Structures are given as C-alpha cells and as structure tokens.
Amino acid sequence: MVVATEEMAVYCFDTLVAHYSGEQPPPPAFEEGVHPLFVTWKKATNGSEPRLRGCIGTLEPRQIVSGFKDYALTSALRDRRFSPIQSKELPYLECTVSILTEYETALNHLDWEVGKHGLIIEFTDPDYNVRRSGTYLPEVAAHEEDGHN
C-alpha cells in the first residue's frame, strides 16, 4: 500500500515556489504510482492555529507525480472558497498530501472510524433536486473531533 510521505508534500511546495519564480520544480524524490490524491494548504500567522487556505484533489486515480504537480497549483490558486495564495504567503504555508487507498462501502452511517476513514457523501438536494457530494479526508473528522474549527 502506498502512503503519503513528506517528500510528496515537499514536491507540492516546490511546485508552488517554482510557479512564482518562473522555474521548473526539482524532480520528485518519490516513486510514481496511480492513486486518487488531495493537496491541502494551511496558513499560520502570529503563532495561530493553521487555517485552511486550499484543498483540492481527485477521487479518480492519477499518476501521482503529475497529479501532485497539478493539484498543488489548483488547490493553491483555484480553490473557489479562497482567494489565490500569493507569493508573500509562502513563508506561512503548510502543505499536506493525502493518497486515497482501499475504498470500502460503509454498512451504515456509523460504519467508520475517526482518523482512519474518510467519507464521500452523496445525496440529492431536496430543495433543488440536484445531486450533491462532499469529500472529507480522514484528518478532517479527527481535527473537528478535537474541537479545532
């Protein structure tokens, strides 16, 4: 099983730095693979708890080198919930990556463990009769359970 590594997060950070410097990022220090993945950016200032600044990924398996490169920039610059990350924010950023593996169908809404499982919720919005979905990575529920909003 492939696990997310520090080298993957470093590659995403290098990709964002290269975007602002107009250079190519250095080659990745991890092996290629094909997996669904997410890139998350958080920003901490004045010793505060880091706050979400962008998080986008894909549930479709991707080549992880090109996937991390694409989603590092997409989550930093095109997450519609936030303004694009600016180069002056780089010193305050934290980057984490998630690789999704071993999908399971839950038996019911209580069939999951906080911190171990992520959730993909799909439903039809009864007000607009539109299909909606949300993806929650394993660390999101653990963070919320600890009382950090």
Side-chain angles (χ1 to χ4, degrees):
M1 177 175 69
V2 172
V3 296
T5 65
E6 183 177 327
E7 290 79 13
M8 293 170 181
V10 167
Y11 181 68
C12 291
F13 210 100
D14 287 345
T15 297
L16 184 57
V17 170
H19 167 77
Y20 285 112
S21 69
E23 300 175 7
Q24 289 296 314
F30 55 89
E31 296 294 318
E32 184 63 270
V34 179
H35 296 281
L37 55 90
F38 279 76
V39 177
T40 302
W41 296 100
K42 292 184 179 179
K43 180 181 173 183
T45 53
N46 301 326
S48 67
E49 181 76 19
R51 298 184 61 99
L52 185 64
R53 197 61 184 79
C55 180
I56 296 182
T58 179
L59 299 174
E60 296 298 319
R62 289 275 316 257
Q63 295 285 331
I64 60 175
V65 172
S66 63
F68 281 136
K69 188 173 184 178
D70 292 346
Y71 283 99
L73 296 177
T74 299
S75 61
L77 305 173
R78 292 184 280 287
D79 186 329
R80 291 178 290 168
R81 299 170 293 176
F82 306 97
S83 61
I85 291 174
Q86 299 176 24
S87 61
K88 67 183 179 182
E89 296 177 86
L90 290 171
Y92 308 103
L93 293 178
E94 296 177 2
C95 180
T96 56
V97 299
S98 300
I99 295 178
L100 308 183
T101 61
E102 300 181 28
Y103 284 75
E104 304 172 27
T105 300
L107 299 175
N108 59 56
H109 68 284
L110 298 175
D111 183 27
W112 62 287
E113 289 179 47
V114 172
K116 178 180 179 185
H117 298 108
L119 296 173
I120 301 170
I121 300 171
E122 298 174 330
F123 61 97
T124 299
D125 183 331
D127 295 332
Y128 299 97
N129 197 32
V130 174
R131 187 138 179 84
R132 304 216 188 260
S133 67
T135 302
Y136 298 89
L137 300 172
E139 56 270 19
V140 171
H143 186 261
E144 293 302 315
E145 185 178 65
D146 288 341
H148 300 111
N149 296 326

